[in-house]
Amino acid sequence: MRAPLVLALSISLAACAGGADGASDSAAGMADADPDRAVAGGGVPAGYSARADREDTELSEIQYAVRGEDEWEITTGPAHIVWSAADSASGNYTARAEFEQLEAPRHPEAFGIFVGGQNLDSPDQRYTYFVVRGTGEYLIRVREGGDTRDVAAWTKHDAVATQDESGKASYRLAVEVGADSVRFLVGDARVAAVAKSAVPTDGVVGIRVNHNLRVATGPVEVAKQ
């Protein structure tokens, strides 16, 4: 268990060069009608960095609050990733994190894990992300610079909880990187698997949260296999 985190007084966010895939993670056709909401920024945890998807967003509008040991309550604001440079993995490993959607967003919005992060502070950023949303669906996607490609498009699966009447839902996500394949799990259920050569896996691991959400999570845990 990590030591309790102290919030930074300011936010370290770098705009993505030309990228706008935060919009494409949203429900189809809804992004333009649902701009990033204004959030009083509280800072990312000390020792962490963040990067917003879009260069035309107000980068200060994101809030992280400590909610118990090793737990963050995140309110957005722009879609972004957050990571610690110390959290990196290569070879065979498992990355996992738990998430709780605390209220229903105006439109379905995604959150989850990314792995294989490379050049995260440059236009040549690259990573694989595995996200879910309250509609009971998951998505696997690779980001390469300002472009993205689907590994698994939005897919309904029984293991992915649908938000309840209050808008709440809980998820345990894991990415298991093996010698030849990468497996994506929700709870104990494997929802997808791809060849290891198909996605970036060596590099930084972290959290991805889309815009206009209120979720609870914590740092990604990494275990070598």
Side-chain angles (χ1 to χ4, degrees):
M1 187 69 70
R2 302 175 189 231
L5 296 164
V6 179
L7 292 184
L9 294 178
S10 61
I11 300 165
S12 171
L13 288 171
C16 170
D21 82 315
S24 61
D25 289 352
S26 302
M30 295 297 185
D32 291 339
D34 187 22
D36 296 345
R37 66 185 176 187
V39 175
V44 296
Y48 285 78
S49 300
R51 180 169 185 162
D53 282 0
R54 293 168 46 176
E55 59 185 343
D56 61 345
T57 57
E58 182 60 47
L59 300 180
S60 62
E61 293 178 349
I62 178 176
Q63 182 182 88
Y64 277 66
V66 172
R67 207 186 82 165
E69 188 175 3
D70 287 352
E71 189 173 11
W72 309 328
E73 184 173 320
I74 307 170
T75 306
T76 56
H80 67 285
I81 57 174
V82 64
W83 73 93
S84 168
D87 292 335
S88 63
S90 61
N92 301 347
Y93 66 90
T94 298
R96 58 173 59 89
E98 296 186 16
F99 296 84
E100 182 184 2
Q101 180 175 288
L102 299 175
E103 61 185 37
R106 181 178 176 187
H107 306 296
E109 300 291 352
F111 45 89
I113 297 172
F114 76 86
V115 299
Q118 303 164 12
N119 305 316
L120 296 180
D121 58 354
S122 83
D124 299 321
Q125 64 173 329
R126 190 166 187 251
Y127 58 87
T128 303
Y129 61 98
F130 174 42
V131 292
V132 294
R133 62 189 185 190
T135 52
E137 299 167 288
Y138 72 88
L139 170 76
I140 304 167
R141 183 172 282 172
V142 171
R143 179 160 199 144
E144 296 167 319
D147 299 320
T148 62
R149 59 179 171 88
D150 283 354
V151 177
W154 282 115
T155 303
K156 191 85 170 177
H157 196 284
D158 288 345
V160 184
T162 300
Q163 65 191 39
D164 63 20
E165 292 182 357
S166 68
K168 295 183 178 181
S170 297
Y171 307 90
R172 288 188 295 115
L173 304 185
V175 179
E176 294 182 346
V177 181
D180 301 310
S181 66
V182 183
R183 297 169 294 278
F184 301 87
L185 289 80
V186 180
D188 296 324
R190 188 181 73 179
V191 300
V194 300
K196 190 173 183 177
S197 59
V199 297
T201 58
D202 288 350
V204 175
V205 303
I207 297 294
R208 176 173 172 82
V209 182
N210 210 28
H211 82 157
N212 298 351
L213 276 165
R214 182 168 163 255
V215 299
T217 185
V220 175
E221 296 180 6
V222 178
K224 294 292 292 183
Q225 295 183 8

